Structures are given as C-alpha cells and as structure tokens.
Amino acid sequence: MVRAENVHKAFGPLEVLKGIDLEVRTGEVCCVLGPSGSGKSTFLRCINHLEKINAGRIWVDGELIGYRERGGKLHEMRDKEIAAQRRSIGMVFQRFNLFPHMTALDNVAEAPVQVLRESRAASRERAVALLERVGLGAKLDAYPGQLSGGQQQRVAIARALAMRPKLMLFDEPTSALDPELVGEVLDVMKDLAREGMTMIVVTHEIGFAREVGDSLVFMDGGVVVESGRPRDVIAEPRHERTKAFLAKVL
Ligand code: ADP
Ligand code: MG
C-alpha cells in the first residue's frame, strides 16, 4: 500500500529526512517511533504531499505521490490531481483540528458532501454510523468545546474515515491527551486495525506498537535506524540509539 524509497527532505539548509525507505503492506499497521525532531511528522506529511520531497519517491496503492513520470523525469502534478490523491489518505493529528463552530455530526458529514459530492442525507447517515462506531452515538449534536480531548480525537478519526481512505496516517494521536483518555482513542485505532485498515502510526505508546503493530520503525536524525517486528525491536533493539530511546519511554 505504501512504498517510500530514499526520501529526502530539507528545509533550507536543514536536512530533515536523509533517505527514508519504508514499506507497508495492505492491511498492516506500521508504528513509527523516535525522538522529537527526528523527522517523523515531516515524513508523514510527505506521504500525502503536504511537503514536497527533494529526492526519492513515494507510492501509495501503486500511485506515485505528487509527481508524474515522463521520459525518466518527474513533473509535479497539478493541484487538482494532488488533491485527488490526498483524499484517499486520512490524517489524524496530535491536535484534533475540528471545526469549533460545527457539531460532531457536521464535522464528520461535511467533507463527503463538499468534496465527494455525496448527498447531505447519505453523508449524515454515514456520519451517524461512524460516530457510533467510535463510541460517540450520544454526542452527535455536541460541539467540540463540549467534548473531552479523547472524544474530540475520536470525532477526528470518524471525520477522516468519512472520506473512505485507503490509508490512515496518525501523528501522535494521543500525545495531547490526559492519560486517562488515551485508552479510548487507542481502542478505536485497534478496532480499525482489526477491520483491516492500513495505518502508519507515529506514537510513543509502546504497548500499542507491540500489540497492534505489524512492523515498527525507529527513526532518529532523519534516518531509519532500525525496523522489524515490534516485539523483536522492543525486546532486543540492535542499535544504541534505539536502546537509549526505549529506555526512556518504557
Ligand atoms: P518529529 O515529528 O520527529 O518531532 P519533525 O518532522 O516535526 O520531527 O521535525 C523535524 C525537524 O524539521 C525539526 O528540526 C523541525 O524543527 C524541522 N521542521 C519541521 N517542519 C519545518 C518547516 N516547515 N520549516 C522548517 N523546519 C521545519
Ligand atoms: Mg512530530
């Protein structure tokens, strides 16, 4: 579902990604771990072309992201094509980014109407089902300000799912939550994984990575230091940097 090859990204003189390779198969959950500043968010943003990469290639479901290849050269796609690609990739951030003036139901139902041209009735019906699925069937008419952080994040997940993504990217989805609210969000993500969604999850939740992850990637300084089966990497990290990091978060 996802293949990244030698991805480089710099902001001016600052080299943030120095050749990232990654593969995620359909239906798999890939957890990405690493210290702050190691380039995890930047990498996720490259996958849906929110950042333009300086070298390398990324494919999602067989499609080259952001570029067309013609005569051995890459040409950036037009905005419309980029938007079309982005539509099939759901993203959930640390901060929930819900529309504050819209109810939970409207937050979930809006984009399918605006972007996918679904009928309002059909979109609302699906939004209700999605909010029920994330355990918020009783909060359809609540505004974000009336919801806990965990509830808001679950609305954000339902909103991303409303676009029928084939890939979901999570960027530290539980890092901004009070500890007692982390579990309810991870449970929703676990269900999603069980139902076969392909996911890349940047997280410091080692338990989640071990239980749900099919693979674990440890990044530091803009490179993948090591990767493998989560329980292997966690139990027997091969690199000093991984050991040091795990010792801090475990
Ligand atoms: P992580 O998510 O692993 O904490 P980030 O991908 O957010 O790391 O950031 C990696 C590095 O890139 C940091 O040094 C950060 O300051 C820098 N960076 C991220 N986005 C930008 C940007 N838009 N402009 C300049 N520097 C950036
Ligand atoms: Mg980050």
Side-chain angles (χ1 to χ4, degrees):
M1 180 59 72
V2 182
R3 191 141 82 98
E5 245 179 45
N6 195 27
V7 171
H8 286 256
K9 174 67 188 173
F11 296 105
L14 181 68
E15 254 197 286
V16 174
L17 302 179
K18 303 172 185 167
I20 301 285
D21 292 317
L22 182 114
E23 247 182 68
V24 185
R25 291 172 188 288
T26 302
E28 282 191 353
V29 176
C30 171
C31 292
V32 181
L33 220 65
S36 178
S38 56
K40 306 180 301 293
S41 296
T42 302
F43 179 61
L44 281 194
R45 291 167 57 79
C46 289
I47 294 176
N48 61 8
H49 207 61
L50 285 171
E51 301 288 355
K52 276 184 212 176
I53 62 180
N54 302 113
R57 279 160 210 219
I58 300 172
W59 291 265
V60 173
D61 200 20
E63 262 189 60
L64 191 58
I65 291 295
Y67 298 91
R68 293 205 171 284
E69 201 162 3
R70 247 182 269 123
K73 278 200 175 163
L74 296 183
H75 302 269
E76 195 175 18
M77 286 178 169
R78 282 172 296 151
D79 289 350
K80 232 180 152 173
E81 294 174 285
I82 291 169
Q85 283 188 328
R86 213 171 266 157
R87 234 174 268 155
S88 64
I89 303 172
M91 190 148 184
V92 174
F93 304 89
Q94 184 172 342
R95 289 266 153 220
F96 331 116
N97 302 321
L98 298 174
F99 301 117
H101 59 288
M102 285 164 73
T103 63
L105 181 64
D106 289 337
N107 262 284
V108 178
E110 193 60 18
V113 173
Q114 300 298 335
V115 182
L116 301 180
R117 303 284 161 210
E118 282 184 18
S119 78
R120 197 159 283 278
S123 181
R124 288 176 76 87
E125 195 174 317
R126 224 171 93 72
V128 171
L130 284 167
L131 284 165
E132 281 170 354
R133 181 166 155 197
V134 301
L136 292 174
K139 297 286 183 187
L140 304 179
D141 297 322
Y143 287 88
Q146 300 169 317
L147 297 172
S148 72
Q151 291 170 332
Q152 289 183 59
Q153 192 60 302
R154 286 185 281 147
V155 175
I157 293 171
R159 184 177 60 174
L161 294 175
M163 294 295 286
R164 307 173 193 275
K166 45 192 176 190
L167 168 69
M168 286 283 286
L169 308 176
F170 291 88
D171 193 357
E172 301 201 35
T174 59
S175 296
L177 300 177
D178 291 333
E180 74 271 22
L181 304 178
V182 168
E184 66 192 51
V185 172
L186 293 180
D187 284 344
V188 166
M189 293 167 62
K190 269 178 218 171
D191 284 343
L192 201 53
R194 210 173 294 135
E195 288 158 22
M197 178 63 76
T198 311
M199 302 166 39
I200 301 180
V201 183
V202 174
T203 185
H204 293 167
E205 296 290 334
I206 302 291
F208 176 87
R210 184 166 27 209
E211 192 187 330
V212 183
D214 296 290
S215 60
L216 189 154
V217 170
F218 176 70
M219 275 178 71
D220 194 7
V223 299
V224 172
V225 174
E226 67 181 290
S227 61
R229 280 178 42 198
R231 59 188 71 250
D232 297 341
V233 177
I234 293 163
E236 290 178 68
R238 281 168 301 176
H239 290 261
E240 286 308 321
R241 282 192 280 175
T242 320
K243 281 182 202 165
F245 180 79
L246 286 171
K248 271 186 230 156
V249 296
L250 276 173

